[in-house]
């Protein structure tokens, strides 16, 4: 079974731009979570989607948003990029809420 | 809320045994997970403990004591490829997100 895939793998943007990241979960998994990883803050939860509904959101500004499609694929969007948004963005999928989460390779975002 | 504490770094030599501890504070507990992450890579699931005791998976074992809010990951017969960061994580009360520890960087030397 194929693992979690994320596109693109690397992205360079400038301040003020917006970006959309994509995540395809493991086949059959309906829950998708997004995390931000930085050296200073570690792994921080962004939001979680289950059956196209956002079930929980972390402590991030409204510039961070996401959605999930009927095939469980998910996207996250960051608008008005700031230098501090430079990070590894990880997507994780699980069969259902509370089940073991499996991570994708991440998208490395650099904001200049 | 939840908080987890781990040592920041552990060093060991090939063939040795190392234990990485994790203490947690949480208002609702549904299990402790361990993930491995190599530099530049994604976290990889290693083990999950929902009940007290030891879970063994090959060279890796994980232990949980819910009464002590404590767990550990035990790595045996260390190999150079085990050099990585190891994170413990708990699922929050609403089954909606993983809260990760600060991570332990394991350095294995020849």
């Amino acid at each position: 079974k194929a693992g979690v895939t994320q596109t693109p793998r690397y992205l360079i943007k400038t301040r003020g731009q917006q970006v959309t990241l994509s995540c395809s979960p493991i086949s059959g998994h309906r829950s998708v979570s997004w995390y931000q990883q930085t050296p200073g803050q570690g792994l921080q939860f962004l939001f979680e989607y289950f059956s196209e509904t956002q079930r929980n959101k972390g402590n991030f500004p409204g510039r961070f948003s996401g959605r999930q499609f009927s095939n469980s694929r998910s996207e996250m969007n960051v608008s008005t990029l700031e230098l501090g948004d430079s990070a590894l963005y990880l997507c994780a999928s699980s069969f259902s809420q509370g089940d073991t989460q499996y991570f994708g390779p991440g998208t490395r975002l650099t904001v200049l | 809320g939840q908080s987890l504490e781990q040592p920041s770094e552990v060093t060991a030599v090939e063939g040795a045994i190392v234990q990485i501890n994790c203490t947690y504070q949480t208002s609702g507990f549904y299990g402790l997970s361990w993930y491995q992450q190599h530099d530049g890579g994604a976290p990889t699931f290693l083990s999950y403990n929902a009940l007290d005791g030891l879970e063994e998976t090959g060279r890796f074992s994980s232990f949980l004591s819910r009464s002590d809010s404590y767990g550990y990951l035990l790595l045996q017969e260390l190999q150079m490829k085990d050099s990585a960061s190891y994170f413990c994580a708990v699922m929050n009360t609403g089954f909606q997100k993983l809260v990760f520890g600060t991570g332990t960087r394991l350095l294995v030397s020849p």
Side-chain angles (χ1 to χ4, degrees):
Chain A
K1 191 180 277 190
V4 179
T5 58
Q6 292 187 245
T7 57
R9 293 292 312 278
Y10 302 92
L11 207 50
I12 299 175
K13 293 285 188 179
T14 56
R15 280 181 298 175
Q17 288 187 307
Q18 75 162 17
V19 66
T20 299
L21 312 180
S22 181
C23 170
S24 292
I26 292 171
S27 179
H29 285 193
R30 295 168 62 192
S31 175
V32 174
S33 300
W34 288 88
Y35 297 84
Q36 181 196 64
Q37 186 174 31
T38 59
Q41 298 298 316
L43 275 155
Q44 300 286 317
F45 172 79
L46 280 159
F47 26 66
E48 187 259 351
Y49 287 87
F50 181 78
S51 293
E52 302 179 63
T53 301
Q54 186 182 88
R55 294 303 181 101
N56 198 12
K57 193 176 192 305
N59 295 323
F60 281 83
R63 300 184 297 107
F64 291 80
S65 62
R67 59 178 176 169
Q68 186 180 34
F69 302 94
S70 58
N71 61 359
S72 295
R73 189 176 69 85
S74 178
E75 289 182 347
M76 69 163 281
N77 184 77
V78 188
S79 62
T80 321
L81 283 166
E82 300 177 359
L83 294 178
D85 297 334
S86 294
L88 180 66
Y89 290 88
L90 292 158
C91 163
S93 79
S94 62
F95 179 74
S96 185
Q97 291 180 297
D99 289 335
T100 298
Q101 295 186 13
Y102 297 91
F103 285 80
T107 294
R108 174 76 61 185
L109 172 65
T110 302
V111 182
L112 303 176
Chain B
Q2 288 87 12
S3 66
L4 298 93
E5 290 190 13
Q6 305 176 234
S8 59
E9 188 173 287
V10 173
T11 59
V13 297
E14 271 189 304
I17 299 173
V18 73
Q19 179 174 312
I20 299 173
N21 299 320
C22 173
T23 56
Y24 59 87
Q25 288 185 314
T26 177
S27 54
F29 179 78
Y30 292 96
L32 186 69
S33 299
W34 288 92
Y35 286 82
Q36 176 193 61
Q37 186 178 30
H38 287 98
D39 286 346
T44 302
F45 172 76
L46 291 176
S47 67
Y48 173 73
N49 295 68
L51 302 175
D52 290 354
L54 192 67
E55 294 282 343
E56 298 181 69
T57 308
R59 295 187 296 114
F60 294 179
S61 302
S62 57
F63 172 82
L64 175 66
S65 169
R66 290 179 297 172
S67 59
D68 295 322
S69 297
Y70 163 76
Y72 66 72
L73 181 69
L74 189 73
L75 298 85
Q76 304 181 73
E77 300 172 19
L78 281 173
Q79 302 174 11
M80 296 293 289
K81 66 178 182 179
D82 297 329
S83 291
S85 292
Y86 293 84
F87 296 87
C88 58
V90 295
M91 183 66 70
N92 82 331
T93 54
F95 292 113
Q96 292 166 336
K97 65 177 182 180
L98 277 174
V99 178
F100 285 86
T102 49
T104 299
R105 189 168 181 84
L106 171 63
L107 301 172
V108 180
S109 57

